[in-house]
Amino acid sequence: MNKFEIEHPKPEIKYKHIFFDLDHTIWDFDKNAEETLYELYDIYRLNEIGLPSAALFIETYTRNNHQLWAEYHTGRITKTELRETRFKRTFIELGVHPEVLPVAFEDDYVKLCPTKTNLFPHAHETLQYLQNKYTLHLISNGFKESSELKIGNTNIGSYFKHVIISEIVGVNKPDKAIFEHALSLAEAEKHESIMIGDSLEADVYGALNFGMDAIYFNPFNAPRPHDVPLQVTHLKELTLLL
């Protein structure tokens, strides 16, 4: 028995269904966004409108985007508000005059970013292993068109029996309604199901408050709250845990 197995004994419950998050859990959102933004930085010549550092631009955008997604998860802002705000806020924060903001930047980002194919390490290997033991499903708070592109371009769709996208369902994680919908679609019971995701609020507490077990995917090894029972820092650890 290795160190991981000692610290993370396999759950006594026999699960039948595993529900995964997509962005920041399987699809490496930040890495794909970074690739996209470096390309758009050059295409739009952002250095010429007062942004001499692509790295600072990406760092600022990433912070703003994470904050806005947290607000979107909890229904405080809409999809339209998220998309209208994240780059505008970033440009203005970095001193770009409103009159020279690149108008089509958001549209080009939305078209390009979902075509990127970076997944977290061992994603295919882990999903293949788990698919042989469990029925896998996906629950994403992402948007329909971009989520479908991400799944298709990375060839991960075949691992999942059902793909539940919040924009289609009309409700976001952590709302219990989306978990109810997912379990109903999967013909699964709470006690035989587990959620895996990176967002404490949307994925972990969303599932736990619904009465379903959860594993916190924590690739940056952030402090784990005391009330979060299980976490992994690499996807491959799931093959030892489940």
Side-chain angles (χ1 to χ4, degrees):
M1 183 177 290
N2 63 32
K3 181 174 181 290
F4 179 87
E5 290 173 306
I6 293 171
E7 294 178 351
H8 302 78
K10 290 196 175 188
E12 294 180 5
I13 298 171
K14 179 62 177 176
Y15 297 111
K16 294 180 181 179
H17 297 269
I18 299 177
F19 295 83
F20 273 94
D21 174 51
L22 177 62
D23 291 337
H24 302 285
T25 300
I26 298 171
W27 195 77
D28 193 337
F29 190 106
D30 289 340
K31 188 171 184 180
N32 290 312
E34 182 176 328
E35 270 189 21
T36 303
L37 292 173
Y38 269 113
E39 291 179 31
L40 292 176
Y41 181 89
D42 290 335
I43 291 169
Y44 275 85
R45 300 178 180 177
L46 296 185
N47 61 311
E48 296 179 6
I49 63 168
L51 296 178
S53 169
L56 178 60
F57 170 64
I58 293 168
E59 178 187 334
T60 307
Y61 161 77
T62 300
R63 171 170 45 79
N64 285 329
N65 192 48
H66 284 187
Q67 290 173 351
L68 290 165
W69 269 99
E71 293 180 30
Y72 176 73
H73 285 325
T74 53
R76 285 176 281 174
I77 61 172
T78 65
K79 168 186 175 180
T80 300
E81 289 170 326
L82 186 155
R83 287 188 165 174
E84 287 179 349
T85 303
R86 57 186 176 182
F87 285 113
K88 182 178 180 180
R89 178 183 292 181
T90 298
F91 284 126
I92 291 174
E93 182 178 334
L94 292 173
V96 177
H97 195 281
E99 290 183 2
V100 296
L101 295 180
V103 177
F105 196 92
E106 168 70 26
D107 290 340
D108 287 340
Y109 172 83
V110 168
K111 290 174 187 174
L112 181 58
C113 193
T115 68
K116 300 297 182 181
T117 57
N118 294 295
L119 302 177
F120 280 95
H122 305 291
H124 280 286
E125 175 186 347
T126 300
L127 292 170
Q128 180 65 63
Y129 170 87
L130 294 174
Q131 185 186 42
N132 291 331
K133 298 181 66 178
Y134 308 93
T135 303
L136 307 185
H137 314 273
L138 201 63
I139 309 178
S140 174
N141 270 6
F143 305 129
K144 178 181 183 295
E145 185 177 358
S146 60
S147 296
E148 289 172 348
L149 283 171
K150 293 168 185 177
I151 293 166
N153 290 331
T154 54
N155 297 313
I156 61 172
S158 62
Y159 298 119
F160 302 105
K161 184 174 182 182
H162 295 105
V163 174
I164 298 100
I165 299 173
S166 65
E167 187 177 33
I168 298 173
V169 178
V171 64
N172 297 331
K173 296 174 291 182
D175 194 304
K176 292 181 180 181
I178 196 166
F179 292 101
E180 287 275 13
H181 173 80
L183 263 63
S184 175
L185 191 64
E187 298 182 335
E189 301 292 335
K190 292 181 185 181
H191 69 271
E192 61 185 16
S193 305
I194 190 165
M195 179 76 205
I196 301 170
D198 73 289
S199 171
L200 284 170
E201 184 169 23
D203 301 313
V204 178
Y205 291 130
L208 293 175
N209 291 335
F210 175 63
M212 182 170 142
D213 287 349
I215 297 174
Y216 176 31
F217 178 59
N218 185 13
F220 304 110
N221 212 17
R224 183 180 78 179
H226 71 278
D227 56 351
V228 172
L230 288 173
Q231 78 165 11
V232 294
T233 56
H234 297 87
L235 289 177
K236 197 172 183 181
E237 292 175 29
L238 294 170
T239 65
L240 301 173
L241 185 60
L242 294 169

